[in-house]
Amino acid sequence: MDNCIFCKIAAKQIPSKTIFEDDDLIVFHDIRPAAPVHFLIVPKQHIPTLADCGEAEHALLGKMMTLAPKLAQEQGCGYVASGEGPGKGGFKAMFHIGPDGGQEVYHLHLHVIGGPHPWRGER
Ligand code: 5GP
Ligand code: ZN
């Protein structure tokens, strides 16, 4: 899609701090992090919002959702029920959908937001 910032990031026309990439997805740190860990899981295919997804996107969405805890663990904010050390506290995984959902970039992405109590703004 012309003029889509996440398509441009996926095509490497705009740099990003990429932490994972395969044929379907690119994952990079959010440029304005809302917490100590904040990255975005983004399909390479241009799909504007979650509301545009249907049966054809089931596998893609499943892949995005199951990648979230794996990468959160690598980034130090995974959830381990009985673990010690970094990455045991958990994280938020969020889609923003449409203007009332706070969506700014109309290319599907899953926010992964973690660190100690990110919802309280603690660092
Ligand atoms: P939305 O509100 O659409 O769900 O979130 C879009 C997110 O993309 C925001 O958190 C914003 O900081 C992030 N973002 C916007 N432009 C860029 C960019 O050029 N690079 C990166 N890494 N993140 C971006
Ligand atoms: Zn796009």
Side-chain angles (χ1 to χ4, degrees), residues 43-59:
K44 289 187 171 176
Q45 181 192 351
H46 182 86
I47 302 166
T49 81
L50 188 63
D52 298 293
C53 292
E55 221 172 307
E57 285 75 36
H58 282 186

Side-chain angles (χ1 to χ4, degrees), residues 107-121:
H107 178 130
L108 184 68
H109 53 281
L110 176 59
H111 290 259
V112 176
I113 300 176
H117 301 145
W119 53 94
R120 293 185 199 150

Side-chain angles (χ1 to χ4, degrees), residues 1 4-8 44-47 106-108:
M1 262 293 266
C4 170
I5 194 122
F6 286 178
C7 281
K8 286 183 179 165
K44 289 187 171 176
Q45 181 192 351
H46 182 86
I47 302 166
Y106 280 77
H107 178 130
L108 184 68

Side-chain angles (χ1 to χ4, degrees), residues 8-93:
K8 286 183 179 165
I9 288 175
K12 311 284 162 57
Q13 291 163 6
I14 291 178
S16 71
K17 289 187 183 165
T18 301
I19 59 171
F20 175 90
E21 185 172 6
D22 69 7
D23 287 348
D24 303 315
L25 302 174
I26 184 163
V27 182
F28 50 85
H29 289 287
D30 197 293
I31 206 163
R32 283 182 282 125
V37 178
H38 187 175
F39 59 86
L40 305 171
I41 301 179
V42 181
K44 289 187 171 176
Q45 181 192 351
H46 182 86
I47 302 166
T49 81
L50 188 63
D52 298 293
C53 292
E55 221 172 307
E57 285 75 36
H58 282 186
L60 181 69
L61 290 167
K63 192 169 173 178
M64 292 168 74
M65 298 297 266
T66 53
L67 189 59
K70 280 188 203 160
L71 294 181
Q73 188 65 28
E74 285 178 21
Q75 296 295 313
C77 64
Y79 175 61
V80 181
S82 59
E84 293 292 331
K88 67 171 191 172
F91 59 92
K92 283 180 177 295

